[in-house]
Amino acid sequence: MRLAIKKRASRRGRGAGPSPGRADSGAMDEARPLWATPLQFVFACLSYAVGLGNVWRFPYLCQMYGGGSFLVPYIIMLTVEGMPLLYLELAVGQRMRQGSIGAWRTINPYLSGVGVASVVASFFLSLYYNVVNAWAFWYLFHSLQDPLPWSVCPLNGNRTGYDEECEKASSTQYFWYRKTLNISPSIQESGAVQWELALCLILAWLLVYLCILRGTESTGKVVYFTALLPYCVLIVYLVRGLTLHGATNGLAYMFTPKMEQLANPKAWTNAATQVFFSLGLGFGSLIAFASYNEPSNNCQKHAVVVSIINSSTSIFASVVTFSIYGFKATFNYESCLNKVILLLTNSFDLEDGFLTVSNLEEVKSYLASAYPSKYSEVFPQIKNCSLESELETAVQGTGLAFIVYTEAIQNMEASQLWSVLYFFMLLLLGIGSMLGNTAAILTPLTDSKVISSYLPKEAISGLVCLVSCAIGLVFTMEAGNYWFDIFNDYAATLPLLLIVLVEAAAVCYLYGLRRFESDLKSMTGHALNWYWKAMWGGVSPLLIISLFVFYLSDYIITGTLQYQAWDASQGQLVTKDYPPYALAITGLLVASSTMCIPLGALGTFIVRHLKRGDTASVA
Amino acid sequence: MLWLLFFLVSAIHAELCQPDAENAFKVRLSLRTALGDKAYAWDTNEEYLFKAMVAFSMRRVPNREATEISHVLLCNVTQRVSFWFVVTDPSRNHTLPAVEVQSAIRMNRNRINNAFFLNDQTLEFLRIPATLAPPTDPSVPIWIIIFGVIFCIVIVATMLLILSGIRQHRRKNKGPSEMEDTEDKWENTVKIENGIPCDPLDMKGGHVNDAFVTEDERLTPL
């Protein structure tokens, strides 16, 4: 069955179909594996695009930039920037039927560097992204204990109290920083590799290898799970979240629009950035996935569908997140009130149960007037409990997933079940995105005739996974989380903007928009809408340029880069400066993918020059 | 005379048991928090039981087996419910050292809690820290077991996939030489019947002629 479909593709490629007119038609003679159904392709793009960022970045942005009103810049940026660029990448991949390196070399030989830059960026991304899956595995394995290990503090030496670090921070923070990461006080102190985390990382890479082992054949089946199951879990969580006590506080807080935020330029740039990175543009994964399509596939429809579903998932996930935020904030607020009540009851020896939440204020004023001296002694310890301030603690990233969520889960009934479900969902989202990341690296490698003649596909995948796993062990060291933050913030941000800018400019101006339009028409049979042409030619590149300028100016203005380090003695995060060698590595990260573009052009120029020189001398 | 003695005794008692006196401990109960509606009222009978439990704890200390209920003195009972207590020696003139009382209470804390249906948080002895229950540590951490199971499953599945891939490879290498001959034959021969050339296998449309498809692997539709 599989073989039959392969042969059909090669026949069509040889006879009919537009040829780019270069030697690459030879690549199409090789039987290219295809998705069994277009649905697999859509699911693959979905499971790649819908990742952890939808769950832990979008709710944070929503909270920071005006709640319901953030949706306005988000949807505008989606239609103006997200959908056109997604369609562009899918169209390029489907048209060229090769991975990113081959595809851009086909468009223009001087652009082979763009493909290499994509592969390098994808490589960096998969290095650190799988560490998150390792963390999810760790928490998943620890969820099957009663009580949950992050809900109780361990005892101190003589068993009279709890561990000091755990008392100062909270039990969930202690479990994350001490038990999971065993974090060192600064990035300079690397510490040893944590063998437990290293095992989880190896398991994560094995699982990824299992899924990509057979190329589209295995990936195509796995994406059914990684695309659909997270939605099942999200729906279950939605029902649970909405029925939690205090959930409506969080939802009301999120959805009350703060219209003044629309005037904040940061809201717009963050919306643009979120759309850009959420869809995973520029890594080459979308080109790789689309290259396994039938040429007549209607990728315009798929682009629109994927981007809409991706954004809806973000909004859906933030509804769930905010109902859980509301529950956690209400729980903390009520605990705070109970602590105040206990303090007053004990200091003034009032009858147990006399002080309640409703009469707290009047009793406080009564006590202040009746026993002024004693009240003034107790007064500094009375915390001002506020639901607003609890709701305002906005967290993003790993902090949200592994600290805030676990804190909320530990207070639910049947917390083991919810914990298992939650980390299983994180794992699915992470593995789904990893499939795309590795596809971006492997597709150009398997397309290249040099490499695939020596090694079968399974060996290439195995080698890539092995190398990434070995390098990824750096992130399991005690200072690993600091390096993770460096990679997360710098490895795949600025270079991507440049890559996508060059891609859009290349297709429109180097290859020619008309030529691309006619290619697409003969390939799919549909004419290209004027909207896409306007976006590709003008609006989207302008947006990317302005984003690029904004980021550069932001980096330059802030001067030295700083990071948050965990201070065990205080039980909280402190800000520190990066040492010079860390800054150097950061610069190297950004440069290594960005420099590929000009270096690739230079390399092609030199090779051509040499060839011309040879032919001239021969003639 | 008797009145004088009585006053003397209660005066001495009062001196021995006072808030913040030497060797005195404050006790705090939270009955309504612990028991809700089933909370009992704290009266002199409950105080008697308390004294009995403290005396029982002291009797288990070596050299203090002669402690009686009357040696335990309670004072300053508030509405909270909270009060102070001291334990005197048989002569009723001195109080027992705080260290002894502390260790005695710590050893028997569970029995005292159970007598009142309370726990360490609702029956507090200030300045006597409770020994916290150590977390149950199984000999092999649970997470390693689960990790081992999933690890083995993944390894087995990977091996299976790799092996079946190698087998498919070998079968493909044996097959292609035969398949290429059949394809060339089909391409070159064009049968003509009744002057009309017929294509047994429609090459342009890519349809599969079901009559000729016997095994999916051997014959490929064009």
Side-chain angles (χ1 to χ4, degrees):
Chain A
M1 194 58 189
R2 180 56 41 195
L3 225 55
I5 296 176
K6 279 185 194 170
K7 283 294 180 188
R8 184 195 290 151
S10 72
R11 284 253 173 251
R12 206 174 281 174
R14 218 179 285 153
S19 65
R22 294 178 209 265
D24 312 82
S25 58
M28 287 200 284
D29 278 352
E30 286 293 314
R32 193 169 185 80
L34 292 179
W35 300 110
T37 67
L39 197 62
Q40 277 187 1
F41 166 64
V42 175
F43 279 163
C45 290
L46 259 184
S47 68
Y48 168 65
V50 174
L52 297 166
N54 298 62
V55 172
W56 74 29
R57 176 113 176 114
F58 184 81
Y60 167 78
L61 289 176
C62 230
Q63 189 175 12
M64 293 291 287
Y65 296 112
S69 56
F70 182 72
L71 291 179
V72 171
Y74 185 72
I75 292 180
I76 292 179
M77 287 299 162
L78 182 70
T79 41
V80 159
E81 177 201 0
M83 271 193 234
L85 291 172
L86 179 64
Y87 181 31
L88 179 70
E89 287 221 359
L90 292 184
V92 165
Q94 191 170 306
R95 168 74 185 79
M96 302 303 162
R97 313 202 75 224
Q98 294 176 80
S100 52
I101 297 184
W104 293 109
R105 196 172 34 216
T106 309
I107 292 211
N108 190 312
Y110 289 102
L111 287 182
S112 50
V114 175
V116 178
S118 291
V119 172
V120 171
S122 284
F123 179 65
F124 289 147
L125 181 70
S126 27
L127 276 183
Y128 77 81
Y129 205 88
N130 223 11
V131 181
V132 182
N133 289 334
W135 293 333
F137 264 126
W138 169 264
Y139 269 82
L140 182 67
F141 296 149
H142 278 86
S143 303
L144 294 164
Q145 292 172 16
D146 183 30
L148 288 174
W150 53 81
S151 57
V152 286
C153 277
L155 302 176
N156 63 9
N158 55 1
R159 294 207 200 145
T160 52
Y162 296 113
D163 185 280
E164 196 187 319
E165 189 183 347
C166 196
E167 287 273 288
K168 295 222 175 84
S170 64
S171 54
T172 46
Q173 280 181 317
Y174 176 80
F175 187 76
W176 169 244
Y177 285 112
R178 189 52 47 214
K179 285 291 163 75
T180 310
L181 299 175
N182 198 11
I183 206 165
S184 62
S186 71
I187 197 172
Q188 285 98 321
E189 299 153 54
S190 305
V193 169
Q194 306 299 307
W195 64 268
E196 301 100 339
L197 262 188
L199 279 182
C200 290
L201 183 65
I202 293 174
L203 178 62
W205 273 112
L206 271 177
L207 190 59
V208 169
Y209 180 55
L210 177 65
C211 297
I212 60 174
L213 187 45
R214 290 284 201 83
T216 47
E217 185 186 327
S218 50
T219 312
K221 302 219 175 57
V222 171
V223 292
Y224 280 112
F225 293 107
T226 56
L228 291 178
L229 274 182
Y231 286 103
C232 296
V233 177
L234 271 178
I235 291 177
V236 172
Y237 251 96
L238 180 72
V239 173
R240 171 78 268 220
L242 290 178
T243 52
L244 282 173
H245 166 64
T248 39
N249 293 335
L251 286 176
Y253 181 78
M254 169 183 159
F255 283 113
T256 33
K258 303 181 186 67
M259 283 299 173
E260 62 273 9
Q261 285 289 341
L262 281 180
N264 184 358
K266 282 209 158 200
W268 292 87
T269 46
N270 272 303
T273 318
Q274 173 63 13
V275 166
F276 190 88
F277 290 118
S278 175
L279 288 171
L281 303 167
F283 284 104
S285 313
L286 296 163
I287 296 182
F289 281 150
S291 69
Y292 297 118
N293 267 341
E294 305 251 352
S296 62
N297 185 40
N298 185 358
C299 54
Q300 175 187 285
K301 182 175 75 169
H302 291 152
V304 173
V305 162
V306 167
S307 43
I308 289 182
I309 295 185
N310 183 44
S311 306
S312 320
T313 311
S314 294
I315 300 175
F316 184 42
S318 43
V319 170
V320 177
T321 305
F322 273 94
S323 51
I324 297 204
Y325 261 161
F327 165 71
K328 177 180 105 67
T330 311
F331 187 86
N332 287 348
Y333 171 66
E334 286 176 357
S335 313
C336 174
L337 282 179
N338 283 334
K339 280 206 194 97
V340 172
I341 289 177
L342 192 65
L343 178 68
L344 287 176
T345 313
N346 286 344
S347 321
F348 293 96
D349 279 325
L350 305 166
E351 189 187 332
D352 183 32
F354 169 66
L355 258 185
T356 59
V357 178
S358 34
N359 64 7
L360 181 62
E361 286 306 311
E362 40 177 283
V363 173
K364 261 172 47 177
S365 43
Y366 163 72
L367 288 173
S369 54
Y371 308 97
S373 54
K374 207 167 177 190
Y375 191 77
S376 51
E377 276 174 31
V378 178
F379 187 69
Q381 297 170 42
I382 299 180
K383 278 199 279 193
N384 231 350
C385 299
S386 148
L387 188 59
E388 276 282 320
S389 65
E390 292 283 341
L391 284 171
E392 260 159 30
T393 49
V395 192
Q396 60 161 336
T398 49
L400 171 60
F402 295 109
I403 299 180
V404 171
Y405 253 95
T406 47
E407 193 180 319
I409 289 174
Q410 81 192 10
N411 296 323
M412 296 185 197
E413 291 119 36
S415 42
Q416 282 79 14
L417 168 70
W418 297 110
S419 181
V420 166
L421 267 183
Y422 173 68
F423 289 110
F424 183 60
M425 177 185 77
L426 279 194
L427 210 56
L428 284 173
L429 292 173
I431 297 277
S433 300
M434 278 305 292
L435 297 180
N437 295 335
T438 46
I441 304 172
L442 287 174
T443 309
L445 289 180
T446 48
D447 283 345
S448 132
K449 290 209 274 290
V450 171
I451 301 179
S452 54
S453 56
Y454 280 120
L455 294 167
K457 186 173 46 183
E458 288 90 344
I460 302 179
S461 323
L463 221 58
V464 169
C465 288
L466 191 66
V467 169
S468 310
C469 187
I471 302 181
L473 288 176
V474 168
F475 299 111
T476 56
M477 295 197 300
E478 287 180 20
N481 195 39
Y482 301 129
W483 290 109
F484 176 86
D485 284 332
I486 288 183
F487 270 72
N488 194 19
D489 290 333
Y490 303 112
T493 44
L494 224 49
L496 262 318
L497 290 170
L498 195 62
I499 290 174
V500 176
L501 180 62
V502 172
E503 285 183 1
V507 169
C508 292
Y509 302 114
L510 270 180
Y511 190 73
L513 196 52
R514 271 187 221 281
R515 189 170 158 202
F516 194 60
E517 183 184 352
S518 64
D519 281 347
L520 282 181
K521 182 147 188 207
S522 55
M523 189 172 71
T524 63
H526 303 284
L528 195 62
N529 201 330
W530 63 268
Y531 178 72
W532 304 118
K533 285 190 271 192
M535 291 298 129
W536 290 347
V539 183
S540 306
L542 278 176
L543 256 176
I544 300 178
I545 292 177
S546 49
L547 267 184
F548 198 72
V549 166
F550 167 77
Y551 264 108
L552 272 181
S553 53
D554 209 38
Y555 285 150
I556 294 173
I557 288 174
T558 39
T560 44
L561 300 169
Q562 294 179 314
Y563 70 104
Q564 304 278 80
W566 176 255
D567 187 344
S569 52
Q570 291 180 44
Q572 61 181 18
L573 291 167
V574 294
T575 320
K576 290 198 177 157
D577 285 328
Y578 276 126
Y581 70 89
L583 290 174
I585 293 183
T586 312
L588 208 68
L589 269 181
V590 177
S592 53
S593 38
T594 334
M595 282 299 130
C596 288
I597 304 179
L599 284 178
L602 194 64
T604 319
F605 178 73
I606 292 176
V607 165
R608 283 211 156 171
H609 204 68
L610 287 174
K611 266 206 206 134
R612 225 176 283 145
D614 281 343
T615 47
S617 59
V618 166
Chain B
M1 191 55 190
L2 272 170
W3 282 111
L4 209 63
L5 208 64
F6 181 69
F7 278 134
L8 205 65
V9 167
S10 45
I12 294 174
H13 278 197
E15 277 167 23
L16 288 176
C17 176
Q18 263 186 6
D20 297 320
E22 193 191 352
N23 302 330
F25 291 97
K26 183 169 183 184
V27 180
R28 195 189 283 151
L29 288 97
S30 309
L31 293 168
R32 202 153 298 159
T33 314
L35 304 165
D37 291 331
K38 300 199 206 92
Y40 46 80
W42 186 260
D43 52 14
T44 44
N45 294 328
E46 305 286 342
E47 287 180 20
Y48 191 82
L49 177 59
F50 182 80
K51 288 191 211 176
M53 294 306 296
V54 173
F56 162 76
S57 312
M58 289 313 297
R59 285 169 85 108
R60 299 186 87 184
V61 174
N63 287 340
R64 298 288 175 207
E65 284 93 345
T67 316
E68 298 288 334
I69 293 180
S70 48
H71 295 160
V72 183
L73 307 171
L74 262 59
C75 51
N76 275 65
V77 184
T78 66
Q79 249 188 335
R80 170 66 182 79
V81 173
S82 68
F83 49 84
W84 290 81
F85 78 93
V86 288
V87 186
T88 61
D89 60 357
S91 70
R92 309 238 185 119
N93 288 330
H94 309 287
T95 53
L96 294 185
V99 184
E100 279 190 34
V101 180
Q102 202 179 53
S103 67
I105 303 273
R106 279 190 88 180
M107 300 274 271
N108 299 289
R109 190 61 186 272
N110 214 21
R111 300 286 293 270
I112 303 177
N113 287 348
N114 284 335
F116 294 99
F117 305 125
L118 300 172
N119 60 26
D120 283 344
Q121 280 77 45
T122 41
L123 172 57
E124 295 167 79
F125 287 82
L126 302 189
R127 288 196 304 131
I128 303 185
T131 310
L132 300 166
T136 45
D137 258 336
S139 51
V140 180
I142 299 180
W143 77 269
I144 290 222
I145 301 175
I146 307 174
F147 168 81
V149 168
I150 298 194
F151 193 76
C152 291
I153 295 177
V154 171
I155 294 246
V156 166
T158 312
M159 288 292 134
L160 283 176
L161 271 186
I162 292 182
L163 287 174
S164 71
I166 294 177
R167 225 179 296 143
Q168 235 181 33
H169 235 272
R170 268 194 221 134
R171 222 186 299 157
K172 226 191 340 172
N173 286 337
K174 267 192 274 174
S177 45
E178 304 165 26
M179 283 200 293
E180 270 160 11
D181 296 334
T182 19
E183 277 177 14
D184 288 331
K185 254 206 307 203
W186 283 126
E187 272 189 305
N188 297 331
T189 55
V190 178
K191 290 209 176 112
I192 298 182
E193 280 187 13
N194 294 338
I196 306 166
C198 44
D199 278 326
L201 291 166
D202 189 0
M203 290 164 66
K204 297 181 195 102
H207 299 303
V208 174
N209 191 336
D210 292 310
F212 284 87
V213 174
T214 45
E215 289 168 60
D216 283 72
E217 291 149 316
R218 309 276 296 174
L219 196 64
T220 55
L222 296 163

